[in-house]
């Protein structure tokens, strides 16, 4: 998978968040989008995911050396962000069954092994609205990491995690993202360990 940004810019009303970002992301590499809070990291990640549109420039996608239409990108991307919604009226088991009707799990994993890997087995039948914020973050990470997609996009992935949760995230990142195109939006070095390339969004702020 290859994602190409050509002079991409985003503004809200008359205020530019960033401008003229040109960059290529390719499978098998881990990238980090860096910057202080409010610098535009999360917005840029949503643009890459096709969730928002740029005001200037273009974003193009290539899968197996063939162009991929933007409206079809969602099927090839796994995404995790603090603000993403879970269906909290479902139990963990129900939610994962629902999620994996849209995407296939990684080879060697099924609902049972994903729940076991997340450490949430004792709470598997509880409604997600009963979970703590850290438990909900584990659910968000699990649905992203264990989906069989070529692209993994992570926005501040250690949000609300305790020390054990951070260690689990780092283990998943090392063990289960090989070969994927991984982009991590963060200002915390624990979250983007091993990134081959970094992009400072603040370098593209308008004067």
């Amino acid at each position: 998978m290859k994602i190409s940004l050509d002079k991409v810019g985003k503004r809200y009303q008359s205020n530019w968040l960033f401008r003229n970002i040109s960059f290529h992301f390719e499978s098998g590499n881990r990238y980090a989008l860096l910057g202080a809070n409010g610098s535009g990291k999360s917005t840029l990640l949503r643009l890459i995911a096709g969730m928002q549109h740029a005001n200037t420039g273009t974003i193009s996608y290539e899968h197996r050396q063939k162009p991929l239409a933007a409206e079809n990108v969602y099927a090839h991307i796994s995404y995790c962000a603090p603000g993403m919604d879970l269906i909290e009226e479902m139990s963990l088991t129900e939610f994962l069954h629902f999620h994996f009707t849209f995407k296939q799990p990684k080879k060697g994993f099924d609902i049972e092994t994903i729940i076991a890997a997340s450490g949430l087995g004792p709470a598997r039948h509880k409604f997600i609205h009963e979970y703590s914020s850290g438990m909900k973050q584990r659910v968000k990470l699990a649905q992203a990491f264990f989906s069989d997609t070529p692209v993994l996009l992570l926005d501040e992935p250690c949000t609300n995690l305790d020390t054990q949760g951070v260690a689990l995230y780092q283990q998943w990142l090392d063990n289960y993202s090989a070969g994927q195109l991984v982009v991590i939006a963060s200002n915390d070095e624990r979250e983007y360990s091993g990134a081959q390339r970094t992009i400072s969004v603040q370098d593209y702020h308008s004067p």
Side-chain angles (χ1 to χ4, degrees), residues 1 25-31 150 177-182 196:
M1 187 84 171
F25 300 90
E26 298 191 51
S27 290
N29 294 295
R30 190 183 302 175
Y31 304 86
S177 66
Q180 288 181 293
L181 191 172
V182 181
Q196 289 98 345

Side-chain angles (χ1 to χ4, degrees), residues 158-179:
C158 292
T159 298
N160 297 319
L161 294 180
D162 58 15
T163 302
Q164 186 180 27
V166 172
L168 182 65
Y169 159 75
Q170 292 171 333
Q171 176 189 333
W172 287 359
L173 187 63
D174 288 339
N175 293 345
Y176 302 130
S177 66

Side-chain angles (χ1 to χ4, degrees), residues 13 23 30 40 46 67 70 102 131 141 169-170 194 197 199:
Q13 297 181 345
F23 201 85
R30 190 183 302 175
R46 288 193 293 271
F102 300 97
Y131 283 19
L141 288 169
Y169 159 75
Q170 292 171 333
R197 295 286 304 276
I199 308 166

